Amino acid sequence: MTAVERLRADHAPALLAFERENRAFFAASVPDRGDEFFAGFDARLAGLLAEQAAGTDHFHVLAEDDGTVLGRVNLVGVAGGSAELGYRVAERATGRGLATSAVREVCALAFAEYGLTALRARTTVDNAGSRAVLARTGFAEAGAITLMGKPGLLFTRDLADPIPRPARP
């Protein structure tokens, strides 16, 4: 079983393992975090937790019962009732609907717990998986952008609208 949990200091070892194990997988679709990210991980995590405590960002992990991190869903740049959503899921966990369910849950938290009313997200045009997650979770295309030198799309979501749920047979 997996659960979305608000980022805590004790997630550090599992989160670092997640980032290391999936570094090449993530670098295929988003810019690599660089060696400095891994070398300064503890300081970086402390900074993230401080930002979270200040309410400027909200970080979440998708964790298994044993504490293994399978994904992250973050809300960054909180201002004026909105934030930018970002997420990533471990290569071994793709295709199981985990990103969709985690994004849905964080959208609900954003509205109910963090008082946000709108979210933004970005992805490259060639990232079909990410575009599908955003579509399934109520995000609408809001324009073309350039992201990492590639054609990209901006998405928005009004959090007052109900989160779409999968149809039942």
Side-chain angles (χ1 to χ4, degrees):
M1 180 111 188
T2 59
V4 171
E5 300 176 1
R6 192 159 167 88
L7 182 63
R8 303 182 310 264
D10 65 322
H11 286 123
L15 183 57
L16 181 56
F18 162 79
E19 293 288 354
R20 282 185 174 144
E21 290 165 11
N22 292 283
R23 184 176 183 180
F25 174 66
F26 295 146
S29 57
V30 295
D32 183 63
R33 295 188 184 273
D35 292 337
E36 298 80 28
F37 173 85
F38 297 96
F41 183 81
D42 291 337
R44 172 79 175 130
L45 181 61
L48 295 178
L49 292 170
E51 292 166 8
Q52 182 167 268
T56 60
D57 300 297
H58 301 284
F59 303 103
H60 308 86
V61 296
L62 180 59
E64 291 185 296
D65 289 338
D66 67 0
T68 301
V69 171
L70 291 180
R72 299 179 73 162
V73 182
N74 301 323
L75 301 171
V76 299
V78 173
S82 71
E84 183 164 334
L85 172 86
Y87 54 92
R88 53 179 56 198
V89 174
E91 182 175 21
R92 70 180 178 93
T94 59
R96 298 178 7 202
L98 294 176
T100 298
S101 64
V103 167
R104 276 193 184 111
E105 189 169 339
V106 171
C107 285
L109 285 170
F111 184 69
E113 300 291 324
Y114 310 142
L116 301 179
T117 57
L119 295 178
R120 303 171 306 283
R122 302 175 291 160
T123 190
T124 56
V125 170
D126 63 357
N127 191 336
S130 188
R131 288 192 346 262
V133 167
L134 293 170
R136 286 192 297 265
T137 56
F139 283 80
E141 284 187 35
I145 59 172
T146 300
L147 190 60
M148 304 176 312
K150 298 180 183 180
L153 294 168
L154 176 65
F155 291 81
T156 59
R157 174 138 180 12
D158 179 349
L159 294 174
D161 290 340
I163 297 174
R165 298 289 175 189
R168 294 201 171 143

